[in-house]
Every structure is written in structure tokens, then in C-alpha cells.
């Protein structure tokens, strides 16, 4: 009897250890699944909702109106010992400076409730973002060969940048806009306009305050407002209909364009109007706002047979086709949040499917449409744009996310 009791105890111990091992292993692989490769894009950058595990300085006028707390944006990062958020000055149109490198904001002390409120409302550390000037320093992750390329600037097409937003954070939205307007990052004569499409936001700072700010400070920026929630796809179509540039450049509302981001894409479209191009998508950390990129770690888009977007390593065939690291990189699919396309070609291939709802699946549908209509889908290694990756979307889908994404996926398959 003693022997059998011993055997049962030993078996129970082994069984417990096996369960613990399986749990730890599962946790480890789940952790690996949350890591993002350089260039990876998650759901709010245009992926399907099922692919979440894939994937003098101009400044802002803060939401506070305390005139005694106004500071120059160049001084904001020095105030690491204050709790809350400072106000900063509006843009200076005469300031043409550019900064390089990166800033560390890890020592900023934030009120815990204010910090949590930012995460709840926006899905990232919005409270910290309020401390960061709009025109901030970001690293230049371009390959050295990119900096030697000379583009025929006088011959390149002009661009309309279209940004869709819904209840976006004030500081993040304006940082997106200013990174595009920055003359060191976007040649002014090539940037025709920026169209901000408000998809029926209900936050106060995105109403009259935004209109006033744009009117008084940003002459190249237009704000369009949807009369009801229409989603990313139809909002982009609304913006494209009002565009006047030769090329449409679609960006998410929580991005930062970097040095030299625009000309490589316009240059490629100048050479081939049926080329649809995307930048390398770098990561802006949702907690620290640190800009994270890579010179060499670039992947291409593909999809699984259940029509979920994926990132994969560059195929050997494509490696052999390219003569230089900075040559355009053909990609079967794109994440969909950030890309440039010749305006007339966009309509020639049928633009977006207007029957798709809100968001989800349009990135693969557009990718298939491009290749089937004789175009090419390419990543430009010399163009880098940062994107904030969130662990969850703070927004709701009219009709529910599962129904919307399922409908869009079925339409894409048909």
C-alpha cells in the first residue's frame, strides 16, 4: 500500500509539473506573438481586425488654457519633474529648423489618474504625448545610400496627403500633420495639401478648436467632416474626391513622417504611374513614444488562406531581383494604413470597394486589385514613417467589429 501511495504521489507531481511546463510554454509563445518586426503594422494601421498579433519648433496649443503655464516647445522636455502637462506655443511659420536624433521622456512624472485616462481614451500614453513638442527629434533610419540619391524635384508629381481621424488625441494628430508639413521632410512645392477627414468625432478638441487652429496656423491643411460615422474606407474616398494633387498619400492619424520620406515614393510613381508604394513602417512605442526603426530589417506583406494579413521575410527570388538594398521591394500585399498611389490610377483600378464598411479587409482587397490590374505594390526602403501601435482599439464599430470584418472579408473573397 505504501508503494502505491508513493506511486500516486509521484504521478501527481509529474502531472503538475507537466501542466506548469505547458502553461509556461504557452505564455512564452504568446509573448513572442506580441513582438512586432520593424515595419509591422497592426489593426489600426489598416490590417484586418483578425491580425492583431501579426501586428524654434512649431508646437501644439494644449487642451488647457492656463496662460501662466505657456512654454516654448524647445523647453518642454526639460520639465521632467512636473506633474500634469504643460502648454506650448503655436507654430512659428518662419521656423525652418530641423532636429535629428531622439529624446528620452522616460523621466517625465505623470499623474496616475491622468495617465490612465489617456490609455482609456486613446489606447496609448496620451498624457506623455502632451509633454512632447510637435516637431520633435526622430532618428534617421535610412540607409546611407538613400542620402546620395538625387531626385528630379522639378519633375516629380505633387502630393495630397489624406489623414482620417476619429476621436484622435490632439497632440498626436497635430504631430502627424506637422511631420508632413516640415519642409525638411516634405519639399513644400511637392506637398499640395493635407486633407484631414473627421469621421464624426465627438471630442470637443476636434471640433471648433481644431478648425480655428488649422485656419489660423496651417494654410495647406483642410478639414472635412463626415455628417455621420462612415469608417476608414468611405472617409478615404471622401478625402480623395476633394484632392487636387497628382498623387494620393494615405496616412493614419498617429504617425510621424521622417527625413526624406516623401520624395522616394513620388520618384517611383514618376517612373511608373502604376506603381503603388508604401514606406517602411517604423514603430512609435505606445508607452514611451520612443521612435524605433531599423536600417535593414524590412519584411514584405502576404496573407494566410483565411485572408489575414501577415509579415514574412523577403523571398529569395525578390532578393535576387534587386540590385541594391535601396531598390524598391515588391510585396504581395500591404498593411494598408500608409501608401501612395497616382490619383488617376487609383480611380482607373476602381478605387476602394464602396460596399465595404468601416474598416478591415480593404488592405488585401486593394493589394489584389493592384496586381490584377497590371500594377505593382512596392515598399520603398528609403522612405520611413513611424506609427503608434496599440494593444487595443479604443473605438467602436457601428454594427460590431465581427460582423463588419466578416462582411468585408466575404466581399473580398467574392
Amino acid at each position: 500500500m505504501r508503494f502505491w501511495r508513493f506511486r500516486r504521489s509521484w504521478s501527481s507531481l509529474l502531472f503538475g509539473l507537466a501542466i506548469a511546463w505547458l502553461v509556461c510554454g504557452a505564455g512564452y509563445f504568446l509573448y513572442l506573438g506580441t513582438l512586432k518586426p520593424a515595419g509591422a503594422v497592426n489593426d489600426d494601421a489598416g490590417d484586418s481586425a483578425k491580425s492583431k498579433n501579426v501586428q524654434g519648433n512649431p508646437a501644439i496649443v494644449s487642451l488647457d488654457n492656463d496662460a501662466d503655464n505657456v512654454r516654448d516647445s524647445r523647453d518642454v522636455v526639460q520639465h521632467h519633474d512636473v506633474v500634469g502637462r504643460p502648454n506650448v506655443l503655436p507654430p512659428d511659420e518662419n521656423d525652418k529648423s530641423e532636429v535629428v536624433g531622439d529624446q528620452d521622456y522616460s523621466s517625465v512624472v505623470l499623474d496616475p489618474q491622468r495617465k490612465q485616462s489617456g490609455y482609456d481614451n486613446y489606447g496609448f500614453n496620451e498624457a506623455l504625448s502632451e509633454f512632447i513638442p510637435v516637431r520633435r527629434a526622430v532618428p534617421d533610419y535610412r540607409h546611407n545610400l538613400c542620402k546620395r540619391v538625387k531626385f528630379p524635384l522639378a519633375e516629380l508629381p505633387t502630393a495630397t496627403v489624406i489623414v482620417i481621424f476619429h476621436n484622435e488625441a490632439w497632440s498626436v494628430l497635430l504631430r502627424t500633420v506637422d511631420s508632413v508639413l516640415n519642409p525638411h521632410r516634405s519639399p513644400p512645392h511637392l506637398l499640395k495639401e493635407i486633407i484631414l477627414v473627421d469621421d464624426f468625432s465627438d471630442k470637443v478638441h476636434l471640433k471648433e478648436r481644431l478648425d480655428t487652429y488649422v485656419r489660423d496656423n496651417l494654410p495647406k491643411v483642410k478639414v472635412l467632416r463626415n455628417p455621420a460615422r462612415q469608417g476608414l474606407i468611405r472617409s478615404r474616398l471622401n478625402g480623395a474626391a476633394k484632392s487636387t494633387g497628382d498623387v494620393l498619400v494615405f496616412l493614419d492619424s498617429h504617425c510621424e513622417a521622417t527625413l526624406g520620406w516623401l520624395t522616394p515614393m513620388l520618384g517611383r510613381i514618376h517612373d511608373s504611374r502604376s506603381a503603388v508604394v508604401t514606406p517602411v513602417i517604423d514603430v512609435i512605442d505606445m508607452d514611451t513614444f520612443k521612435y524605433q526603426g531599423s536600417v535593414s530589417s524590412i519584411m514584405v506583406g502576404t496573407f494566410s488562406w483565411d485572408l489575414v494579413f501577415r509579415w514574412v521575410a523577403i523571398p529569395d527570388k525578390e532578393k535576387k531581383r534587386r540590385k541594391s538594398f535601396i531598390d524598391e521591394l515588391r510585396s504581395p500585399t500591404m498593411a494598408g494604413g500608409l501608401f501612395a498611389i497616382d490619383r488617376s490610377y487609383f480611380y482607373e483600378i476602381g478605387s476602394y470597394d464602396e460596399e465595404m464598411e468601416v474598416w478591415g479587409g480593404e488592405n488585401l482587397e486593394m493589394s489584389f486589385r493592384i496586381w490584377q490590374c497590371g500594377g505593382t505594390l512596392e515598399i520603398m526602403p528609403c522612405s520611413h514613417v513611424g506609427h503608434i501601435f496599440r494593444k487595443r482599439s479604443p473605438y467602436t464599430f457601428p454594427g460590431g467589429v465581427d460582423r463588419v470584418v466578416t462582411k468585408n472579408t466575404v466581399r473580398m473573397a467574392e
Side-chain angles (χ1 to χ4, degrees):
M1 292 295 294
R2 218 178 262 180
F3 171 74
W4 287 110
R5 282 198 298 270
F6 171 77
R7 240 182 114 172
R8 284 197 298 270
S9 299
W10 182 251
S11 299
S12 298
L13 176 62
L14 288 176
F15 180 74
L17 288 173
I19 293 297
W21 177 261
L22 287 173
V23 171
C24 292
Y28 176 71
F29 282 107
L30 285 172
Y31 165 75
L32 289 180
T34 64
L35 297 180
K36 303 181 184 70
V41 175
N42 73 345
D43 54 321
D44 60 356
D47 294 356
S48 167
K50 295 183 288 183
S51 62
K52 292 182 180 178
N53 64 331
V54 179
Q55 332 127 32
N57 295 332
I60 64 171
V61 177
S62 174
L63 301 185
D64 293 330
N65 278 321
D66 182 3
D68 294 330
N69 197 30
V70 175
R71 313 182 199 279
D72 189 299
S73 62
R74 286 164 291 192
D75 298 328
V76 171
V77 295
Q78 304 300 322
H79 298 280
H80 296 318
D81 58 340
V82 296
V83 176
R85 61 190 182 198
N87 288 317
V88 291
L89 295 174
D92 175 5
E93 293 183 358
N94 297 318
D95 178 21
K96 304 299 181 182
S97 63
E98 174 59 273
V99 287
V100 295
D102 199 1
Q103 297 285 349
D104 180 11
Y105 303 97
S106 60
S107 59
V108 173
V109 179
L110 300 170
D111 176 75
Q113 291 184 340
R114 173 68 180 86
K115 182 178 180 180
Q116 187 58 48
S117 174
Y119 278 107
D120 292 343
N121 287 310
Y122 304 105
F124 50 73
N125 194 352
E126 179 266 343
L128 178 62
S129 177
E130 284 289 311
F131 274 88
I132 303 173
V134 167
R135 187 165 299 180
R136 68 154 175 170
V138 292
D140 185 356
Y141 283 108
R142 293 176 298 167
H143 193 282
N144 284 333
L145 290 176
C146 297
K147 303 168 188 178
R148 302 176 192 173
V149 177
K150 302 297 182 184
F151 293 97
L153 296 180
E155 302 174 12
L156 296 185
T158 59
T160 292
V161 175
I162 300 173
V163 178
I164 314 303
F165 68 92
H166 173 73
N167 286 342
E168 187 59 272
W170 174 264
S171 58
V172 167
L173 176 62
L174 293 190
R175 194 172 298 118
T176 299
V177 172
D178 185 80
S179 71
V180 174
L181 287 173
N182 188 319
H184 294 271
R185 303 181 188 184
S186 308
H189 75 284
L190 297 179
L191 179 62
K192 189 73 175 289
E193 61 198 349
I194 299 176
I195 297 179
L196 302 179
V197 183
D198 174 20
D199 189 23
F200 206 57
S201 299
D202 57 21
K203 294 191 179 299
V204 174
H205 64 267
L206 297 174
K207 299 297 185 180
E208 183 180 354
R209 186 178 197 127
L210 179 62
D211 289 336
T212 301
Y213 183 85
V214 168
R215 183 188 66 239
D216 294 346
N217 300 289
L218 308 175
K220 279 194 174 183
V221 180
K222 305 173 184 177
V223 180
L224 303 181
R225 298 194 182 275
N226 293 340
R229 185 80 188 278
Q230 297 186 27
L232 174 73
I233 299 167
R234 292 171 188 162
S235 295
R236 284 186 167 181
L237 289 171
N238 293 342
K242 298 294 185 180
S243 65
T244 59
D246 303 316
V247 171
L248 304 178
V249 181
F250 295 104
L251 294 181
D252 283 339
S253 58
H254 33 271
C255 293
E256 289 183 57
T258 67
L259 285 167
W261 77 286
L262 184 60
T263 48
M265 295 195 292
L266 297 183
R268 178 58 183 151
I269 293 174
H270 172 263
D271 293 339
S272 174
R273 64 181 294 272
S274 61
V276 180
V277 296
T278 77
V280 176
I281 305 172
D282 297 326
V283 176
I284 300 173
D285 189 277
M286 59 170 280
D287 300 311
T288 66
F289 275 79
K290 183 176 179 61
Y291 192 105
Q292 303 168 340
S294 173
V295 174
S296 58
S297 180
I298 302 176
M299 306 183 81
V300 298
T302 184
F303 63 96
S304 59
W305 288 115
D306 55 351
L307 297 178
V308 176
F309 175 84
R310 301 293 187 204
W311 290 104
V312 298
I314 303 173
D316 291 337
K317 181 180 179 180
E318 181 64 6
K319 289 180 181 178
K320 293 177 181 178
R321 184 192 69 82
R322 301 167 73 216
K323 305 302 181 185
S324 167
F325 178 82
I326 66 172
D327 285 347
E328 62 276 3
L329 177 61
R330 291 179 179 174
S331 181
T333 65
M334 63 175 168
L338 295 71
F339 71 96
I341 183 171
D342 179 272
R343 186 179 186 276
S344 60
Y345 185 68
F346 178 69
Y347 288 107
E348 283 178 23
I349 65 175
S351 70
Y352 280 114
D353 179 356
E354 295 186 34
E355 295 302 316
M356 282 189 166
E357 297 183 18
V358 191
W359 163 92
E362 82 289 341
N363 58 319
L364 295 185
E365 195 276 339
M366 178 60 72
S367 301
F368 301 153
R369 184 189 296 263
I370 292 164
W371 286 109
Q372 290 175 314
C373 293
T376 58
L377 182 55
E378 302 167 351
I379 299 171
M380 304 305 296
C382 291
S383 175
H384 284 252
V385 175
H387 179 275
I388 299 175
F389 292 91
R390 296 183 274 214
K391 294 179 181 177
R392 67 171 186 86
S393 174
Y395 313 125
T396 58
F397 278 42
V401 62
D402 291 337
R403 185 196 69 80
V404 169
V405 173
T406 299
K407 175 187 175 180
N408 291 352
T409 303
V410 170
R411 287 192 62 84
M412 173 175 52
E414 292 178 344

